């Protein structure tokens, strides 16, 4: 791969909020596996390999939709009110329309410094994941929304919050070409290299 191609991939990747229909544009197990393969080759100090992934099937997604919808609706309306019910229903629909969800957790450690390094390693893994996804016309939104801290999510995944902390919900799906072009044209601005770099002698 040429350096220009690598840079083009890195620059083209965008956080995606809309995906092609999951009925017509299925993500294959192989595509997902390639993303995970890229993820686990991320740098990680002392080879702690602190990342864990949960690839949700539709049953688990439905169970988690309850947690997602309750968090969204209860932020804006009183539980049990008609406003709550309406927000809740819309949120379930929105969540279930996401073609594929993968949750990422970080193995916890007592040592504060290692924990910081492990979070950094997980972030590297997620970026590797996102780049491999983009290369396969799969868009990803890295979400750090309330489902990550809700105790019910830990119950759904059957994990202990003392041992693992959820750090990302990766919402993913195929990105259509037009949409992809729109996203490219809305390329979020980055500061120039000169604004963020000091060259020393
Ligand atoms: C640690 C982290 C947390 C993020 N959490 C969210 C989130 O909760 N919701 C969201 O829409 N995007 C989230 N993002 C994505 C950023 O908003 C996005 O990367 C940023 O707007 C730049 O856009 P780009 O990814 O298209 O370059 C997160 C990104 C990172 C690195």
């Amino acid at each position: 791969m040429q350096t220009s191609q690598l840079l083009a991939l890195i620059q083209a990747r965008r956080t995606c909020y809309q995906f092609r229909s999951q009925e017509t544009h299925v993500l294959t197990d192989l595509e997902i596996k390639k993303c995970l393969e890229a993820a686990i080759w991320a740098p990680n100090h002392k080879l702690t390999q602190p990342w864990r992934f949960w690839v949700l099937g539709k049953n688990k997604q439905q169970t988690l939709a309850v947690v997602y919808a309750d968090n969204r609706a209860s932020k804006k309306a009183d539980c049990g009110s008609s406003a709550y019910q309406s927000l809740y229903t819309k949120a379930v629909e929105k969540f279930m329309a996401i073609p594929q969800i993968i949750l990422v957790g970080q193995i916890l450690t007592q040592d504060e410094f290692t924990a910081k390094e492990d979070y950094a390693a997980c972030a590297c893994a997620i970026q590797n994941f996102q780049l491999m996804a983009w290369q396969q016309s799969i868009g990803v939104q890295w979400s750090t929304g309330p489902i990550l801290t809700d105790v019910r999510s830990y119950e759904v995944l059957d994990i202990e919050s003392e041992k693992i902390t959820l750090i990302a919900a990766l919402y993913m799906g195929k990105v259509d070409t037009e949409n992809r072009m729109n996203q490219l044209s809305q390329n979020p601005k980055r500061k120039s290299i000169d604004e963020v770099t000091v060259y020393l002698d």
Side-chain angles (χ1 to χ4, degrees):
M1 186 192 240
Q2 292 178 356
T3 52
S4 58
Q5 290 173 310
L6 178 58
L7 186 60
L9 171 64
I10 292 167
Q11 289 178 328
R13 180 213 56 82
R14 293 273 67 79
T15 294
C16 295
Y17 299 93
Q18 279 154 8
F19 309 107
R20 299 188 89 163
S21 157
Q22 54 192 324
E23 273 75 44
T24 51
H25 295 84
V26 179
L27 270 70
T28 67
D29 290 347
L30 185 61
E31 286 167 333
I32 293 171
K33 206 161 177 198
K34 283 182 188 167
C35 295
L36 293 168
E37 186 71 22
I40 63 170
W41 282 95
N44 60 107
H45 197 196
K46 299 188 179 153
L47 287 179
T48 53
Q49 303 179 71
W51 40 70
R52 293 294 181 271
F53 304 93
W54 289 266
V55 181
L56 302 191
K58 281 294 163 195
N59 284 338
K60 278 286 183 283
Q61 186 168 339
Q62 185 80 56
T63 314
L64 215 55
V66 172
V67 182
Y68 175 85
D70 179 49
N71 274 292
R72 271 180 90 94
S74 59
K75 212 163 75 175
K76 292 194 182 147
D78 288 334
C79 188
S81 67
S82 62
Y84 173 94
Q85 199 49 51
S86 155
L87 289 163
Y88 182 94
T89 307
K90 276 192 195 125
V92 168
E93 275 169 25
K94 185 176 153 81
F95 196 76
M96 291 311 294
I98 300 167
Q100 178 67 58
I101 299 176
I102 297 184
L103 296 179
V104 187
Q106 176 192 342
I107 305 260
L108 290 173
T109 160
Q110 294 296 322
D111 184 70
E112 207 178 307
F113 190 75
T114 306
K116 209 170 166 181
E117 290 192 330
D118 283 350
Y119 183 72
C122 287
C124 291
I126 292 170
Q127 176 64 352
N128 277 4
F129 182 105
Q130 294 195 95
L131 290 174
M132 182 57 85
W134 193 264
Q135 179 64 16
Q136 301 178 96
S137 300
I138 296 167
V140 181
Q141 179 200 351
W142 175 348
S143 169
T144 43
I147 60 163
L148 297 185
T149 48
D150 194 303
V151 287
R152 291 170 290 180
S153 304
Y154 288 78
E155 284 164 16
V156 172
L157 300 181
D158 195 21
I159 54 174
E160 294 173 47
S161 57
E162 298 78 31
K163 294 190 178 153
I164 291 180
T165 184
L166 293 172
I167 59 163
L170 303 178
Y171 300 144
M172 18 183 333
K174 287 281 179 178
V175 186
D176 75 36
T177 317
E178 203 181 318
N179 196 18
R180 192 168 161 168
M181 290 317 288
N182 286 342
Q183 275 154 358
L184 288 180
S185 64
Q186 291 164 11
N187 198 351
K189 292 241 183 306
R190 295 296 199 257
K191 289 178 180 167
S192 70
I193 299 169
D194 287 345
E195 284 177 275
V196 296
T197 311
V198 177
Y199 293 94
L200 303 168
D201 64 10

